[in-house]
Amino acid sequence: MSKKILITGATDGIGLETAGMLVSMGHTLLLHGRNPEKLEKVKKTLAALPNAGGIEAYRSDLSRPADVSAFASAVMEKHRTLDVLINNAGVYGAANPVTPEGLDVRFAVNTVVPYLLAKRLLPLFGSSGRIVNLSSAAQAPVDLRALAGRVGLSDDAAYAQSKLALTMWSRRMGLALEGRGPAVIAVNPASLLGSKMVKEAFGIAGKDLRIGAEILCRAALSAEFAGVAGLYFDNDSGRFASPHPDGIDAGKCEEIVRAIEAILTEKLE
Ligand SMILES: NC(=O)c1ccc[n+]([C@@H]2O[C@H](COP(=O)([O-])OP(=O)(O)OC[C@H]3O[C@@H](n4cnc5c(N)ncnc54)[C@H](OP(=O)(O)O)[C@@H]3O)[C@@H](O)[C@H]2O)c1
């Protein structure tokens, strides 16, 4: 059956590859991008694929929570239901890592905004829905001051902390919704896949992007991921696995959610 799937960061890398696979399967795609020309070009390319179903495009800068609120409202105005949200957009290196709201761009794009999007779109999901969040093998204990933009970090540290923070809110939200809302799953798509992020950060060609796209399609659609509440799938080992120990610490996960909520209250006022 055709599903309605929203994927962020669909204009490059793993997101673009995943969007292409999903479109070719006949699913309805809500594509997100930040660059209007790139987004329009991707929409046209995907619409020309055999078997393409409906495709819509939404533009939003995911480093700006207020912009994302408007993005979520635009989706909700057009749609009463959504089957899958793939929070794929992410950032590693940044020349200027501080956003206009004073957040580190890694925490904004990789942690806070995916939470905001999931929370805002929650009313569209039934209990068979799925929220797939792009985690990483890079995970490090979260400095709450850095999450709130009060101290700066290296690219490495900000990225690894932002990905563990995302894995932690995924667990908290997934367990809270168990049996009555969408499955919330954090997925490491495999390490060092050959996207522009990996090429720019590590100067290597990287592995086939299809490895990441295939696991995201499985997480979005296949029965093995149905009803999975707050689990972490590690595609380096090809199985559900334990994230960093903080990622399954209920108290710490709760603390991360509280910190994100406080940031959103402050930044969206
Ligand atoms: N590649 C890997 O080995 C690997 C491993 C583990 C996890 N991941 C995760 O996989 C996801 C996809 O990454 P990728 O490797 O495919 O990297 P990528 O090619 O750099 O793609 C990142 C996507 O995010 C979008 N994006 C970045 N900042 C944004 C912002 N402020 N607002 C809106 N969109 C923004 C980019 O938009 P543009 O197209 O406009 O640049 C792009 O579409 C990320 O969450 C990443 O952390 C990747």
Side-chain angles (χ1 to χ4, degrees):
M1 204 177 74
S2 171
K3 302 272 186 193
K4 200 189 295 174
I5 302 171
L6 168 57
I7 178 162
T8 67
T11 47
D12 219 316
I14 302 167
L16 175 58
E17 194 69 34
T18 306
M21 284 185 189
L22 293 168
V23 165
S24 299
M25 293 177 210
H27 298 292
T28 298
L29 262 281
L30 280 60
L31 302 174
H32 156 270
R34 62 176 158 180
N35 173 325
E37 290 84 36
K38 216 170 157 180
L39 184 58
E40 198 45 42
K41 198 170 156 208
V42 167
K43 186 182 170 194
K44 275 200 183 124
T45 308
L46 296 185
L49 290 175
N51 207 28
I55 303 181
E56 293 171 12
Y58 294 84
R59 200 217 62 82
S60 177
D61 179 348
L62 300 188
S63 67
R64 313 290 308 268
D67 205 33
V68 175
S69 251
F71 166 33
S73 299
V75 172
M76 300 208 40
E77 270 165 33
K78 269 196 108 165
H79 297 279
R80 290 191 168 178
T81 61
L82 189 62
D83 296 302
V84 183
L85 164 64
I86 305 179
N87 271 316
N88 164 76
V91 58
Y92 178 94
N96 173 13
V98 182
T99 71
E101 286 85 0
L103 294 174
D104 180 296
V105 71
R106 277 62 57 110
F107 282 112
V109 175
N110 302 352
T111 308
V112 174
V113 153
Y115 174 88
L116 173 61
L117 203 52
K119 204 177 153 189
R120 288 290 308 276
L121 297 178
L122 219 43
L124 301 185
F125 288 96
S127 57
S128 62
R130 298 186 193 180
I131 296 176
V132 179
N133 293 328
L134 270 282
S135 183
S136 170
Q139 298 178 10
V142 183
D143 179 339
L144 293 176
R145 295 166 312 156
L147 172 60
R150 291 201 293 275
V151 294
L153 296 173
S154 66
D155 289 347
D156 258 24
Y159 181 78
Q161 291 190 27
S162 71
K163 289 296 180 180
L164 180 56
L166 169 116
T167 308
M168 292 168 83
W169 76 246
S170 303
R171 175 144 183 104
R172 177 78 178 72
M173 189 182 280
L175 291 176
L177 293 172
E178 191 167 14
R180 61 184 184 90
V184 185
I185 311 145
V187 175
N188 163 28
S191 298
L192 300 178
L193 302 175
S195 63
K196 80 172 147 50
M197 178 190 287
V198 160
K199 287 175 183 152
E200 284 170 9
F202 305 109
I204 56 165
K207 294 182 287 198
D208 191 339
L209 287 174
R210 281 177 299 186
I211 297 168
E214 276 161 10
I215 193 60
L216 293 189
C217 291
R218 271 171 62 197
L221 301 167
S222 83
E224 71 200 291
F225 284 82
V228 165
L231 292 190
Y232 168 68
F233 188 91
D234 172 27
N235 204 32
D236 285 324
S237 59
R239 60 185 174 84
F240 288 101
S242 288
H244 182 285
D246 285 3
I248 47 171
D249 181 315
K252 288 183 178 170
C253 293
E254 169 75 40
E255 203 171 45
I256 290 293
V257 170
R258 273 205 307 270
I260 294 171
E261 289 281 359
I263 291 166
L264 288 173
T265 303
E266 190 192 321
K267 305 300 177 194
L268 289 175
E269 262 171 7

